[in-house]
Amino acid sequence: MNITKDQIKITAKSEAGLFYGCQSLEQLLEDARDYKKPLPACTITDYPMLSYRAVHFDVKHHLDHMNYYYESIDRLARYKVNAIVFEFEDKLRYQLQPLVGAPQSISIDEMAALTKYARDRNIEITPLVQGLGHATFILKHEQYANLRELPWNHWAFCPLNEGTYQVLFDLYRDAIKATPGSKYLHIGGDEIGNIGLCPRCKPTADKEGMMSLNLYWLKRVCEFAKENNRIPIFWDDMPLQHAGLYTSTWSDDVTAAEATEAWKKGVTTLDSLQTDFPKNCVYMRWNYSMAKQPGNILALNWYKTHDLKAMIATATNAEGGMLFQEDKRDTGAASSGIISIQSFIQLAAEKNISGMLCTAWDDKSPHMENYWRGFIAAAEYSWNPKGRTLDEYDAAWLQREFGLSMPGYKNFTHQLRKGSELWYEALYKKGSFFDDDNMLQSTKQVEHWLKPLEGRENIPFDYTTKLIELPDLKSPGLWSEKYKDKIDKSIIEINNYADVSEKLKDLCNSAARNKYYWQLLLAIYNFQTSTPRLLLALKQCDSPDKSKQKAGIEEVQKALNAFHQSWAQLQTVYGQTRFISNPSNFIPDRYFHFASQREDLSWMIQAQELYEGMIKKWLQSQS
Ligand SMILES: [Zn+2]
């Protein structure tokens, strides 16, 4: 692009290049308007380092409104993202297996129209349909019970049952039809537990190992992709696990020496599998923390020396938190957030890997807007891996997305995040909302990393025992002592509340664009602060002074009201872009993801609901 006194000239090798040149010009015009300055005379020579720059739309536990997807495509185009891996799950209205599509799913025609809209903006929609494992959205239906590896377990298909391939290929056919002209088909294939157990598979698993079943499935689906002119993309963890190398690719506990040792042993296994690795497949190496773990580098090298095509996958929400997202920049190899996105893309560029996906997992179904900062960082670094520093990125993000400048952004976002951390643990005796042990309903033990265990759902259990008890007013002070840490943190939150909420309102008012983001943040902030407010009200009751107790009880009522108000507000704000509940004829799909525990957003407040029930009983016992 060349801007002189009287003309602007954009030249490119391709139509996409012209499109991107126009995006850059738009950005310059935007800045010129924001700062009331003329366009600078300049020459920009620019091109992307990675050719496949994808973000992930995972609709496992929620669906956004169609116009949100259209708007998202416009927004991604601005940042020169050129692919979306759309993980359909049950949100596509499959025609060949109509049972699989959820009641409010997107029709094939609607998705094809979205695909065309995206293509007009140089974005390819790559469909992702999970196959062998992660199949609860299919196998939850009794009509598919005969395809389950274990009759009671919805997680995995039987890989040796031909019916598995009839169903999967039908789903793929529809996914391909919904994304006309796209180049890839992501087939998933990760985290397969609980196969090799049925009478059909067990002899093979005993003789040739479980991996042979994985590879048989992979071979079949890759052949299907080839016949249908798609390049399959496959998550690569299972072969690495089988070779004992997986932990070395992500764990920050594995030292360089340990990783090298593991690879010395495991590489023979990997080499022996290699002849069965389909050559038309793209192996997607995923790592969501700092990417430079020795095992992760060795894995990328291995693909290269064996002439297999690899892409990388990083994450905008490494921990999958549902409120404010993690952005840990100072914990070495375990750092996550923008820094991990930058580090893996830089590594990919060093290794001449041309494709990257920024994942956005829906396990705890945070609002999609929470993901955009990571999406845009992935766009930024896959275009120019050695470009801006992280601090410069923050400033550029605030300007481009909102027309805002905010020198203390890092501290501010850290403060919001601290509040989320308190919220996650506030009502639990041990650990936090994130711990599998703190699930507040029974789910069958379908976690792929655990031994299958039938019948756990039938054991009656009092889930309130996982939550902190209420103050014993006959022994005032004990409760406050026991939960001092939670109370101290709550005091900090409540002391900051006026300032932080003012600041958020101010940002919302002064943002030139995307005000919705700050409305959402304000709603999340009010919501998460209602829990420390409740703890402090309970603390007030925990006093030997009767009049203080009485005042405290009034405060508890007020805190509960504030909670209900903030919860209603949060749902209203969420409801502007997403469907906040499943229709009544939706068939539940319960498994270990927290967001699968209810049919509406109320899975987020299961602890609060239980605790409110405890408070009501407690109040009655006081009167
Ligand atoms: Zn089987």
Side-chain angles (χ1 to χ4, degrees), residues 149 158-159 198 201:
E149 179 68 2
C158 169
C198 85
C201 292

Side-chain angles (χ1 to χ4, degrees), residues 95-266:
Q95 289 168 341
L96 299 172
Q97 297 288 335
L99 197 57
V100 178
Q104 85 282 42
S105 52
I106 302 170
S107 77
I108 290 176
D109 286 348
E110 283 170 327
M111 189 47 77
L114 189 74
T115 301
K116 183 180 182 307
Y117 186 85
R119 176 153 303 110
D120 289 346
R121 285 148 188 81
N122 290 295
I123 296 173
E124 141 149 352
I125 295 187
T126 298
L128 194 168
V129 179
Q130 275 286 5
L132 192 47
H134 277 281
T136 64
F137 71 103
I138 308 165
L139 298 176
K140 69 179 181 179
H141 297 287
E142 281 309 310
Q143 289 86 335
Y144 295 122
N146 65 322
L147 302 180
R148 297 173 193 156
E149 179 68 2
L150 294 168
W152 54 272
N153 188 305
H154 303 176
W155 184 264
F157 276 98
C158 169
L160 294 186
N161 187 332
E162 265 313 296
T164 293
Y165 299 97
Q166 283 168 18
V167 171
L168 279 181
F169 293 170
D170 275 352
L171 300 182
Y172 293 163
R173 282 185 192 103
D174 280 345
I176 289 171
K177 198 171 159 195
T179 55
S182 292
K183 188 174 168 188
Y184 296 104
L185 169 68
H186 201 312
I187 52 173
D190 60 318
E191 301 183 325
I192 318 295
N194 308 345
I195 61 165
L197 301 163
C198 85
R200 198 185 275 113
C201 292
K202 198 167 178 309
T204 310
D206 288 347
K207 202 167 136 225
E208 297 166 44
M210 199 175 102
M211 195 60 220
S212 66
L213 295 167
N214 275 284
L215 287 171
Y216 174 72
W217 169 84
L218 183 62
K219 184 172 120 287
R220 291 288 303 270
V221 297
C222 286
E223 277 167 7
F224 174 89
K226 197 173 180 181
E227 283 158 18
N228 288 276
N229 288 320
R230 294 274 172 130
I231 299 170
I233 304 177
F234 166 67
W235 302 120
D236 76 344
D237 50 307
M238 289 314 294
L240 291 170
Q241 264 198 37
H242 177 70
L245 300 170
Y246 181 55
T247 316
S248 81
T249 66
W250 60 269
S251 171
D252 50 304
D253 291 334
V254 179
T255 64
E258 285 164 350
T260 314
E261 197 49 39
W263 275 79
K264 257 189 216 157
K265 281 190 209 144

Side-chain angles (χ1 to χ4, degrees), residues 1 7 71 73 77 87 149 166 209 214 227 231 266 274 284 310 340 408 425 435 439 493 500 531:
M1 173 159 55
Q7 73 165 2
E71 284 163 17
I73 285 168
E87 185 155 357
E149 179 68 2
Q166 283 168 18
N214 275 284
E227 283 158 18
I231 299 170
Q274 186 255 130
M284 197 167 250
S340 62
E425 62 183 40
D435 303 327
M439 288 213 141
E493 282 306 308
V500 173
T531 298

Side-chain angles (χ1 to χ4, degrees), residues 66-84:
M66 210 60 197
N67 67 317
Y68 186 77
Y69 294 126
Y70 276 94
E71 284 163 17
S72 294
I73 285 168
D74 288 340
R75 220 160 141 193
L76 290 170
R78 240 161 91 76
Y79 295 103
K80 306 166 190 174
V81 164
N82 65 1
I84 298 167

Side-chain angles (χ1 to χ4, degrees), residues 33-54:
R33 279 194 300 270
D34 285 354
Y35 289 93
K36 301 187 173 53
K37 300 259 194 226
L39 274 184
C42 62
T43 302
I44 299 173
T45 308
D46 202 12
Y47 52 89
M49 191 60 85
L50 273 65
S51 59
Y52 182 80
R53 303 177 299 281

